[in-house]
Amino acid sequence: MVLLDSHIQQCVDFVSPIIKLIAENTADVINSPLNSNSFESELLEFNWEPLLNSKIGKSDLLTDLVLKRLVTDLLSSEDVHDDLTLHVKKCSVILDFCFHSKQYREKPTSWIVVYFELFSTIFDMLNWPNATLKFWPYVESRMDWFKMGNSLEPLPFGSTNMISYKQPLYDKLRHWNDLLKMVQNNSSLNTPLDNIMSYKLTKFLSELLPLHEESNFNRSALISTKQGSGNPWNKTISSATKRDNSSENVFATDYNYVFDNLLTCPLEFEFRPTEHK
């Protein structure tokens, strides 16, 4: 055990300066994914000097432990509050490295498990809501990665491979749902930032899971973000279209009617006559 821990620390000492250099020289890494060529081939292929010179050798388990140690050492350091942006950038680089190195793992399809483990660790170690909000642009800019599951190739737009009762989500969904419930119960103490972060996490979970899955408890988050975006569902129904009795058109017509007469003016609706309601 002592030998293994020493070996992990040697790998951490080898990788850490490289992560730091990339983070310092990449201005927008939190908001924009890195390309695979941002990493040297020897790093991506796990041809690290401590691994090559060790009797233990390299394995997925060992490299996963190294990445986890990188994150925990980074976010438990005393200077994390002094330069939070740099620490979040380093975390972003580590996650991007995990994504781009997936094809060089012994079992490439297992990359998503450690990716979510690293993400969950970062999210839990950052202070809610200020630090998590600073980190959240990473999530929003890599949403397609989170939805890939064990796939090695990007999925068609709007689809997801994630399932609530399977890895890597089955144990984390409950934790995140408990967190959202706790924030909701503390509503009298919440700041605007608490509510913004709560909404962003809810939206993340609703996009992560298929719409038809029962665990996707907030399907409305997807609809609300599309409103006013030029989405065809929001188009004006013309007189010619009104004669179309297809289920799609009926739904669009009803939805737009409710949006125009209720969702955009709830207070006005509240004081309208009963007949109108």
Side-chain angles (χ1 to χ4, degrees):
M1 183 62 70
V2 175
L3 177 62
L4 176 61
D5 189 69
S6 174
H7 187 53
I8 291 172
Q9 191 57 50
Q10 290 175 21
C11 293
V12 168
D13 294 339
F14 175 80
V15 176
S16 184
I18 303 174
I19 299 296
K20 181 174 183 290
L21 186 64
I22 295 173
E24 290 176 337
N25 293 332
T26 310
D28 209 28
V29 65
I30 304 175
N31 298 281
S32 299
L34 292 171
N35 296 320
S36 59
N37 57 16
S38 300
F39 304 96
E40 296 290 342
S41 59
E42 66 169 8
L43 191 70
L44 282 179
E45 297 171 13
F46 302 107
N47 292 324
W48 307 345
E49 185 178 342
L51 289 176
L52 298 176
N53 295 337
S54 170
K55 295 180 180 179
I56 297 179
K58 57 183 179 181
S59 66
D60 287 349
L61 177 60
L62 180 59
T63 53
D64 293 349
L65 289 172
V66 172
L67 295 178
K68 185 75 174 289
R69 176 77 66 84
L70 280 167
V71 167
T72 54
D73 285 357
L74 183 63
L75 295 181
S76 59
S77 62
E78 295 180 358
D79 63 338
V80 65
H81 301 294
D82 298 332
D83 197 346
L84 179 61
T85 299
L86 179 59
H87 284 72
V88 172
K89 288 174 69 175
K90 289 179 182 178
C91 289
S92 301
V93 174
I94 294 170
L95 283 169
D96 278 17
F97 169 78
C98 179
F99 175 79
H100 288 300
S101 63
K102 59 185 180 299
Q103 66 193 70
Y104 301 107
R105 297 172 60 86
E106 291 178 327
K107 188 178 179 182
T109 55
S110 67
W111 74 273
I112 193 65
V113 176
V114 67
Y115 188 76
F116 263 84
E117 193 64 38
L118 294 172
F119 162 70
S120 181
T121 301
I122 293 168
F123 185 67
D124 287 343
M125 293 187 71
L126 290 172
N127 288 334
W128 172 292
N130 299 67
T132 50
L133 279 172
K134 185 175 285 290
F135 169 64
W136 209 252
Y138 177 91
V139 180
E140 294 172 334
S141 59
R142 278 81 160 180
M143 194 62 217
D144 289 342
W145 294 3
F146 283 94
K147 299 193 305 189
M148 285 173 61
N150 58 7
S151 173
L152 299 180
E153 299 296 332
L155 303 177
F157 179 76
S159 59
T160 176
N161 276 344
M162 304 306 290
I163 301 175
S164 61
Y165 53 85
K166 291 185 178 181
Q167 280 280 38
L169 279 186
Y170 80 93
D171 56 340
K172 296 176 180 59
L173 270 182
R174 180 174 299 176
H175 168 62
W176 290 331
N177 287 335
D178 288 343
L179 176 60
L180 288 170
K181 188 179 297 182
M182 181 180 68
V183 174
Q184 184 179 10
N185 292 338
N186 292 341
S187 58
S188 59
L189 302 175
N190 289 344
T191 67
L193 293 182
D194 286 300
N195 294 326
I196 291 172
M197 187 62 243
S198 178
Y199 169 78
K200 286 181 177 291
L201 179 56
T202 303
K203 179 175 178 290
F204 169 68
L205 298 182
S206 69
E207 288 191 55
L208 202 59
L209 294 171
L211 282 176
H212 58 76
E213 190 173 328
E214 291 183 1
S215 297
N216 193 341
F217 61 90
N218 191 47
R219 298 171 177 86
S220 59
L222 286 176
I223 297 175
S224 64
T225 56
K226 294 295 184 184
Q227 188 61 47
S229 64
N231 188 285
W233 281 108
N234 304 328
K235 65 185 179 181
T236 302
I237 306 300
S238 66
S239 57
T241 311
K242 286 182 179 178
R243 293 193 293 269
D244 179 4
N245 292 323
S246 66
S247 59
E248 291 86 355
N249 187 63
V250 170
F251 176 80
T253 303
D254 290 347
Y255 171 69
N256 286 323
Y257 182 82
V258 172
F259 183 84
D260 293 336
N261 292 279
L262 171 61
L263 300 182
T264 57
C265 49
L267 291 179
E268 179 183 344
F269 178 85
E270 179 64 27
F271 293 100
R272 294 293 291 271
T274 304
E275 294 79 4
H276 174 79
K277 295 177 183 180

